[in-house]
Amino acid sequence: MHTDYSDYTVKWAHLPWEVEQARQLRRQVFCQEQKLFELTDTDAIDDTAQSIVALGDYGGWPQQVVGTVRIHQSASGEWWGSRLAVSRDFRHQRHLGSGLIRLAVCSAHALGCERFMATVQAGNEALFKHLHWHTLERLQLHGREHVLMQADLDFYPPEYAPRTGFVMTLPPRAATAIALWPGLLGDQTAPVGLQNSLTKAQGKELPYGH
Ligand SMILES: CC(C)(COP(=O)(O)OP(=O)(O)OC[C@H]1O[C@@H](n2cnc3c(N)ncnc32)[C@H](O)[C@@H]1OP(=O)(O)O)[C@@H](O)C(=O)NCCC(=O)NCCS
């Protein structure tokens, strides 16, 4: 499994593998890692919620779900986001959590949302503040400190194509390094001619080149 990809797509989940891997990631993070739930974190909200995924793409092809969140509208009309999770290896580096929050709020906004809320783990309050959310109240949930927070919709313009979503790319130089060096040059089965031309392009010779 790769621990980095050339780009990441954030979109509403609709393919069965996207939905299934999002569920697996939630179980891994909220049951096994955080131990907030014992066997499953699935609840009645999942019957109506829209799942959103961050997909790791390699060469333009989606490979795996590396992040997820879900949104739903309550009976009283407010929209809620919950079960935000980014796979451990992909945290604090690609702004995937921020991207998921962005599509969550922007796609709800396009559906007429006037109030978007979340009960956020207290440890993540700073992240949400940074993303233009404000705190309404402090509360205990699943035995842990949480904060009820609301998004400032002025910073989240409506996103009308959430099934396509958006792609988060790396700066070109970093993307080139990831695409060429670890995969191709480390692969001894790649044709020697190809290895040499790649190596020369990077200004170095392979020791066994000719
Ligand atoms: C919370 C979580 C989804 C954040 O995802 P992420 O992809 O690591 O977050 P981002 O990279 O988008 O973070 C954006 C910025 O906020 C910062 N940040 C991330 N988590 C933070 C936190 N808990 N407190 C303060 N800052 C934080 C990042 O360093 C980054 O800063 P920068 O813009 O200066 O580079 C991820 O850490 C996670 O899955 N945690 C475990 C599950 C969890 O806690 N879910 C949330 C329940 S409310």
Side-chain angles (χ1 to χ4, degrees):
M1 184 180 72
H2 294 285
T3 53
D4 207 350
Y5 290 100
S6 53
D7 48 54
Y8 295 85
T9 302
V10 180
K11 63 186 282 286
W12 276 13
H14 69 283
L15 297 173
W17 72 267
E18 295 171 343
V19 174
E20 178 50 33
Q21 286 194 17
R23 290 279 177 99
Q24 282 174 18
L25 176 58
R26 280 172 41 178
R27 263 196 302 278
Q28 189 186 315
V29 171
F30 296 114
C31 301
Q32 289 155 27
E33 180 186 332
Q34 295 195 334
K35 305 200 187 313
L36 284 176
F37 307 93
E38 209 166 315
L39 293 176
T40 177
D41 70 313
T42 303
D43 61 16
I45 290 172
D46 285 309
D47 295 342
T48 57
Q50 173 63 51
S51 170
I52 297 174
V53 286
L55 305 175
D57 304 328
Y58 209 66
W61 292 88
Q63 303 290 313
Q64 69 167 128
V65 170
V66 295
T68 186
V69 69
R70 69 179 181 184
I71 56 171
H72 80 283
Q73 188 173 22
S74 72
S76 51
E78 298 148 346
W79 282 82
W80 291 80
S82 51
R83 302 291 195 270
L84 170 69
V86 170
S87 185
R88 200 192 271 269
D89 288 343
F90 296 87
R91 290 178 197 162
H92 304 289
Q93 45 173 328
R94 300 270 166 250
H95 291 168
L96 296 175
S98 306
L100 287 160
I101 293 167
R102 187 169 121 214
L103 188 63
V105 184
C106 292
S107 58
H109 201 176
L111 293 169
C113 164
E114 292 177 355
R115 208 158 179 241
F116 195 102
M117 327 259 285
T119 46
V120 172
Q121 293 179 15
N124 293 318
E125 186 179 4
L127 166 65
F128 280 77
K129 278 192 169 159
H130 181 64
L131 298 174
H132 307 285
W133 290 57
H134 61 272
T135 302
L136 299 173
E137 130 185 28
R138 303 195 170 272
L139 36 95
Q140 289 284 322
L141 208 63
H142 312 297
R144 309 258 173 101
E145 235 188 281
H146 281 71
V147 277
L148 178 62
M149 299 187 79
Q150 182 175 345
D152 181 345
L153 293 183
D154 288 346
F155 289 90
Y156 293 91
E159 167 57 68
Y160 293 104
R163 283 190 179 79
T164 310
F166 51 80
V167 176
M168 300 170 72
T169 37
L170 292 171
R173 186 177 287 255
T176 303
I178 284 164
L180 293 184
W181 281 104
L184 289 177
L185 291 180
D187 180 7
Q188 301 301 306
T189 60
V192 171
L194 173 60
Q195 291 185 31
N196 277 344
S197 33
L198 289 169
T199 306
K200 277 175 188 157
Q202 298 286 339
K204 281 187 182 175
E205 285 286 351
L206 283 176
Y208 49 85
H210 55 97

